[in-house]
Amino acid sequence: MSKTADLSRTADTALPDPSRWKALAFIALAQLMVVLDATIVNIALPSAQTDLGISDGNKQWVITAYALAFGGLLLFGGRIADLWGRKRTFVVGLIGFALASALGGAAQNEAMMFGSRALQGVFGALLAPAALSLLAVMFTDAKERAKAFGIYGAIAGGGGAVGLILGGFLTEYLNWRWTFFVNIPFAIVAAVGAYFVIREPSGTRNRAPLDIPGVVLSTLGLVALVYGFTRAESAGWSDALTVSMLIAAAVLLLAFVVTEARVKSPLLPLRVLTERNRGGVYLSLGLAIIAMFGLFLFLTYYLQVVKGYSPVKTGFAFLPMIAGMITGSTQIGTRLMTRVPPRLLMGPGFLVAAVGMLFLTQLDLNTSYAAVILPGMLLLGLGMGTAFMPAMSLATHGIEPRDAGVASAMVNTSQQVGGAIGTALLNTIAASATTAYVADHAARATDPKLLELQAMVSGFASAIWWAVGILVAAAAIAIALINTGRPGTGSGGTESASEAGAEEEFRIPVVAH
């Protein structure tokens, strides 16, 4: 290729994509669909269980089949996006997710339901890392990048609560099948829009051969880890299969790390993990998700079982959290991202969320929504939104474009594993506290039903105290590990050579190897 052609190509890739903001709309729509699906099915589960004759012992597989496929295949999906092209992977993921959702909505028995949920997880694992890595390679200007990740972070954080509202409406006024069918228009609009609007920068693929041992070890290790924690929730931590799964996960993931250090073209280059800022994001974000997922579960039960809210009213009760997340992400996070170091957004953000969680430790049978739950959810949303935005942006901090897919997959993996751990861990703590409360108060109780409700709320409050501690730990990790300056500067406030080089790599074609 001539020197003139080289310069022309470089100049072309240096120019911002004129359709990038339109592309963001379709990427955000796809992300909303994936996040919605994580919570919308929970609301519909009791109705679907009755209709399809799913036993109590098997009902967890409606959630678990999705979680195992999604969590286990995320790293593989991220690598496919780097290898095959992010736009193509994104569109294929959307089409596959729509077809799997149609199968779930049309399910006639539990086998069809479980199969459709597993297929949704497979295509979600293609879709999610491709979406985030597209943002990473399309938005290179610091201020624009802050806005784009602010919108994406608000959706990633608040979409779950929106799912509770939408799930309540669809289940109450239509039927549970629409919680699956609703994904189809989302996916079609996002896929058509992405096909015509997204223009992936050239020279950003990683065409190295696929690391098959890495794919097998990471998939089996993550599946064992997610299943171990999911099973702990229903069977207990001392259950033989639970213990076996967690030991197997540790062995497989250790073997995966050893393999990745030795192979020529690793599935997950260890440089993605060992950079302290990215490592700090993955760890602190995973901890924050542990706290959040447990709270969603407890508050849903508290509002419906104790307060007697309908599914729709329960969904609307979560609106303050959504408002807080959108405000924290698009107003506070976006405006300050280019002015202060990310750790000064993430650390305080997690601490504000911890204060919100602290309000919710005061739950009892007569807790006022306006005085306790409302301010707690507002602060929780505000803090999480403020922290999520720089976290999503930093997930691809200083990354080479060829690794953007797998780095994005690591964010989703930390969220997925965090969600599985959070639901199991905090539910176990709540159940133990509930049992202890009944044992302490049974002799003096005059109303068994009242005792049951009091014990449940006491269990929730005990688990939420743990969630407060976990959020404080997330804040400490973010402040201690994340040392990069505001975008365009190094840790000391001036642009570092490595970061300058990384920024250039987003603009100049990279020779894939």
Side-chain angles (χ1 to χ4, degrees), residues 4-231:
T4 305
D6 271 335
L7 289 173
S8 173
R9 186 174 174 224
T10 301
D12 178 61
T13 54
L15 292 172
D17 183 351
S19 300
R20 62 195 179 282
W21 291 108
K22 290 179 186 175
L24 173 63
F26 296 115
I27 292 168
L29 185 65
Q31 172 66 8
L32 178 61
M33 180 189 71
V34 172
V35 177
L36 281 177
D37 194 73
T39 52
I40 199 171
V41 175
N42 289 341
I43 297 273
L45 182 54
S47 303
Q49 183 185 354
T50 303
D51 275 7
L52 300 179
I54 301 173
S55 68
D56 282 338
N58 283 340
K59 71 178 181 182
Q60 65 157 332
W61 283 101
V62 176
I63 307 300
T64 305
Y66 177 84
L68 291 181
F70 189 71
L73 292 170
L74 270 167
L75 286 176
F76 180 52
R79 180 67 181 86
I80 290 293
D82 286 335
L83 176 68
W84 200 26
R86 296 170 191 92
K87 175 180 173 177
R88 184 185 300 174
T89 306
F90 183 68
V91 172
V92 168
L94 281 165
I95 294 168
F97 201 92
L99 292 173
S101 298
L103 184 65
Q108 299 301 309
N109 51 53
E110 63 179 33
M112 275 184 75
M113 172 59 73
F114 300 157
S116 71
R117 290 292 285 161
L119 274 176
Q120 279 185 310
V122 169
F123 287 107
L126 282 178
L127 173 62
L132 187 56
S133 58
L134 275 170
L135 290 188
V137 298
M138 290 177 76
F139 288 89
T140 56
D141 176 75
K143 288 186 178 179
E144 287 193 347
R145 191 176 172 86
K147 287 179 185 175
F149 278 98
I151 294 166
Y152 188 89
I155 289 169
V162 176
L164 295 172
I165 297 173
L166 192 56
F169 261 110
L170 293 172
T171 304
E172 201 165 318
Y173 297 116
L174 293 171
N175 67 46
W176 64 267
R177 295 183 185 276
W178 283 95
T179 61
F180 287 88
F181 291 145
V182 74
N183 290 331
I184 298 170
F186 276 97
I188 291 172
V189 171
V192 171
Y195 182 80
F196 287 108
V197 169
I198 291 177
R199 185 173 67 88
E200 188 176 350
S202 59
T204 59
R205 289 192 196 177
N206 183 351
R207 300 183 189 275
L210 199 57
D211 168 23
I212 300 299
V215 170
V216 172
L217 289 170
S218 69
T219 301
L220 292 178
L222 287 170
V223 164
L225 183 64
V226 172
Y227 183 60
F229 276 101
T230 304
R231 185 172 174 81

Side-chain angles (χ1 to χ4, degrees), residues 327-395:
T327 302
S329 190
T330 61
Q331 299 304 311
I332 300 172
T334 300
R335 291 174 187 274
L336 295 180
M337 181 67 178
T338 55
R339 300 178 185 179
V340 300
R343 68 179 180 275
L344 297 184
L345 289 174
M346 289 182 66
F350 288 139
L351 289 177
V352 168
V355 172
M357 204 75 90
L358 205 56
F359 269 84
L360 300 171
T361 60
Q362 309 307 307
L363 288 181
D364 60 35
L365 293 185
N366 302 309
T367 295
S368 162
Y369 178 85
V372 176
I373 299 173
L374 175 63
M377 286 208 280
L378 271 173
L379 287 171
L380 182 64
L382 203 63
M384 286 295 202
T386 301
F388 272 15
M389 197 282 293
M392 291 294 176
S393 181
L394 270 183

